[in-house]
Amino acid sequence: MTSPIPPVIIKTLERFRSKQLHNQRVITVFLPPDYESQPEKYYKVLYLNDGQDAPAIKLAETLAALIAHHEIEPIIAVAIHATRDRLHEYGTAGIPNARGLGKKARKYSFFILDEVMPYINRRYRTLPGPVNTAIMGFSLGGLMAFDLAWNHPDVFGAV
């Protein structure tokens, strides 16, 4: 008989405000199952663009299973939901494409670096430095993740 897999702890920030982008969005934080029982422990962080897609890829269940089977160490995952401005917020280094999409990508970068990450680091027990910080995304969110990591190797160690 196998024992049940302990679930990750899910915290939802319903209206995270951005001064950079002059909007607000949902951010979902996935804490490892041992987060509350190990108050002295600090964790690596994975940031996800297009965080609204976390349920579609069963992020909570996948993290819980990978942690329970010791395939990854316990981590904190921060799912940053896109807004209706997604096509303008995601891009490369703030240079819009030929159709003018991505014009807010530079501001989105500063939103992540100057607003989201400091909040997460203050609120949760995170390990510092690029060796402990990764970013990912889906489709355009993946492009934005690559751009952030490429331009900020001092912040992100994996993409």
Side-chain angles (χ1 to χ4, degrees):
M1 181 186 243
T2 60
S3 54
I5 294 174
V8 295
I9 302 161
I10 301 173
K11 305 285 185 181
T12 304
L13 311 168
E14 292 291 340
R15 291 182 181 92
F16 190 89
R17 295 185 188 280
S18 171
K19 291 179 182 174
Q20 288 290 332
L21 297 166
H22 306 290
N23 62 18
Q24 59 186 11
R25 72 190 66 228
V26 174
I27 295 179
T28 308
V29 180
F30 298 83
L31 301 171
D34 68 353
Y35 189 84
E36 292 173 348
S37 66
Q38 305 255 348
E40 73 291 340
K41 191 171 180 181
Y42 285 71
Y43 301 88
K44 293 181 177 185
V45 183
L46 170 63
Y47 291 90
L48 294 91
N49 290 325
D50 281 323
Q52 72 281 355
D53 293 334
I57 63 163
K58 299 184 179 185
L59 182 64
E61 298 88 342
T62 302
L63 287 171
L66 291 171
I67 292 167
H69 294 115
H70 306 287
E71 293 182 33
I72 64 167
E73 63 187 276
I75 64 167
I76 295 172
V78 179
I80 304 152
H81 297 224
T83 68
R84 67 181 184 274
D85 286 335
R86 179 183 183 275
L87 294 176
H88 294 292
E89 290 179 351
Y90 293 169
T92 55
I95 301 168
N97 71 12
R99 296 187 330 194
L101 302 177
K103 64 185 175 188
K104 294 182 180 181
R106 186 167 175 81
K107 286 184 178 187
Y108 183 84
S109 295
F110 291 124
F111 163 67
I112 297 296
L113 297 167
D114 298 339
E115 295 177 347
V116 175
M117 292 181 73
Y119 175 86
I120 295 299
N121 292 336
R122 280 191 312 271
R123 177 70 179 86
Y124 300 102
R125 298 187 312 273
T126 62
L127 290 169
V131 70
N132 297 308
T133 310
I135 188 164
M136 66 171 282
F138 307 100
S139 189
L140 276 177
L143 174 66
M144 187 72 230
F146 180 81
D147 188 67
L148 271 162
W150 180 267
N151 287 301
H152 301 280
D154 58 318
V155 177
F156 300 103
V159 62

